[in-house]
Amino acid sequence: MHYWIFKSEPDEFGINDLRRVESEPWGGIRNFQARNFLRDHVAKGDRVFIYHSRCKDIGIVGIAEVVSDTYPDPSQFLATSDYFDPKSSVAAPKWFCVDIAFVEKFARTISLDTLKATSGLENMVLLKQGRLSIQPVAEHERDIILTLAGTRERKPK
DNA sequence: GCCAACGTTGGC
DNA sequence: GCCAACGTTGGC
């Protein structure tokens, strides 16, 4: 079981929206690096740190779980969708998505500033490389983040 | 909402 | 196969 960071814009769809639904198709990913992680590595049962970007309160806000296998993102085939991709086809889909479900919301956001200031997180993909909406989290980074969140008792074995 | 960073595209 | 143009991302 791996941990990931999925970025979202809370004005569009954030942790509070996720909490209100049973599960949510995480689609609209149109970046190749993010797509490759999603298609090749994200698996049912994995855990996801939800990260809010482009907002006042930037940072990791909670945890979700991957509740489906990866499947082609339906929006790429819909001519009316903002995410329509005329170069894609059902036979050879370019873009993928996965369903995730709410697990918990942290009492407080773990802010970007906190992440930057925390020893052991220096090499996080989040801090090393911008503009990547799906990214892996190393085990020691996962432990540090869970500790910052005060949820260490739920740390996976 | 601006715009820098960076990955992809496509003309040549 | 180079590289300028273009599109997207995301902190500010």
Side-chain angles (χ1 to χ4, degrees), chain A residues 120-139:
Chain A
L121 299 182
E122 295 84 359
N123 292 318
M124 272 190 85
V125 178
L126 182 75
L127 305 180
K128 287 281 196 181
Q129 179 184 349
R131 298 164 184 82
L132 183 59
S133 56
I134 289 183
Q135 49 183 264
V137 176
E139 288 194 15

Side-chain angles (χ1 to χ4, degrees), chain A residues 27-40:
Chain A
I29 307 297
R30 294 295 182 269
N31 167 287
F32 285 94
Q33 285 178 280
R35 188 280 307 268
N36 292 344
F37 282 127
L38 196 56
R39 183 188 59 189
D40 303 333

